[in-house]
Amino acid sequence: MADKAVTIRTRKFMTNRLLSRKQFVIDVLHPGRANVSKAELKEKLGKMYDVKDANSIFVFHFRTHFGGGKSTGFGLIYDSVDSAKKYEPKYRLIRVISSFTMTFCECYLLSTSLFLIHHACCGVMQNGLATKVEKSRKQLKERKNRAKKIRGVKKTKASEAAKGGKKK
């Protein structure tokens, strides 16, 4: 499937010096294909804009047009990986699939699909540029309901106390 021709066009290109990135809308023409993978788009954008590190490229929000053959999305190319870590939302940093060295802890390894490492004992998901700490659904609901009973600045203090555990 990857042998079919794919054309990438960028429009509304803008160099954003405040966030140290280039941002643009990506139009992908892919006749005869359902869609194009984000990894393939990153690779082609890296060649187009002469990017040294592929981890500084972020593509997201792709929508395939009715009838297929064309998709439109958004792209960001940061000047460095450090600036990407500084300005990019955490959920996108977690989603990045990068070439990293796998570190195993001494616990049971639950899942290794799509370069995803899940440590069962510590509840940490590592993927790409950031890590995700899983919290139980019950903890999140209890914290939300505790915060509903409090108003103002005390609300943040109550949620912080819930994070750190009960202090005596």
Side-chain angles (χ1 to χ4, degrees):
M1 278 272 187
D3 57 343
K4 302 228 179 187
V6 174
T7 307
I8 297 176
R9 291 194 189 121
T10 59
R11 59 189 167 91
K12 295 187 179 179
F13 188 90
M14 176 182 158
T15 303
N16 191 337
R17 285 289 112 213
L18 289 173
L19 298 177
S20 62
R21 70 183 184 195
K22 300 175 189 103
Q23 55 195 45
F24 43 86
V25 174
I26 305 169
D27 290 326
V28 183
L29 301 171
H30 48 89
R33 283 179 73 169
N35 54 24
V36 183
S37 70
K38 290 181 182 177
E40 191 176 340
L41 289 174
K42 279 181 163 188
E43 180 186 321
K44 291 193 180 224
L45 284 170
K47 288 178 186 173
M48 278 174 63
Y49 290 104
D50 194 33
V51 179
K52 294 177 184 93
D53 193 2
N55 288 335
S56 62
I57 302 172
F58 292 86
V59 290
F60 55 94
H61 204 275
F62 276 89
R63 298 289 176 259
T64 305
H65 293 219
F66 180 74
K70 183 179 180 183
S71 298
T72 303
F74 202 71
L76 304 171
I77 300 176
Y78 284 92
D79 295 343
S80 66
V81 177
D82 293 333
S83 59
K85 286 181 181 179
K86 184 176 179 184
Y87 296 117
E88 200 63 16
K90 190 171 181 186
Y91 77 93
R92 260 190 248 149
L93 292 174
I94 293 167
R95 286 181 186 175
V96 171
I97 297 174
S98 64
S99 56
F100 64 91
T101 58
M102 291 189 178
T103 57
F104 295 97
C105 86
E106 293 120 28
C107 65
Y108 172 69
L109 187 64
L110 188 66
S111 171
T112 56
S113 62
L114 291 175
F115 301 106
L116 181 70
I117 301 171
H118 178 87
H119 302 287
C121 67
C122 48
V124 174
M125 296 185 94
Q126 182 178 349
N127 190 4
L129 301 175
T131 58
K132 178 183 177 183
V133 178
E134 290 184 346
K135 295 179 185 172
S136 72
R137 185 179 165 100
K138 187 175 180 181
Q139 281 178 335
L140 293 173
K141 286 186 173 188
E142 285 174 354
R143 182 175 162 203
K144 173 192 62 119
N145 290 331
R146 210 176 296 117
K148 283 199 296 190
K149 297 173 189 169
I150 303 170
R151 293 178 56 110
V153 180
K154 294 178 184 176
K155 191 173 281 211
T156 56
K157 291 180 183 175
S159 65
E160 285 174 4
K163 285 180 191 173
K166 293 182 182 178
K167 295 179 182 174
K168 294 180 181 179

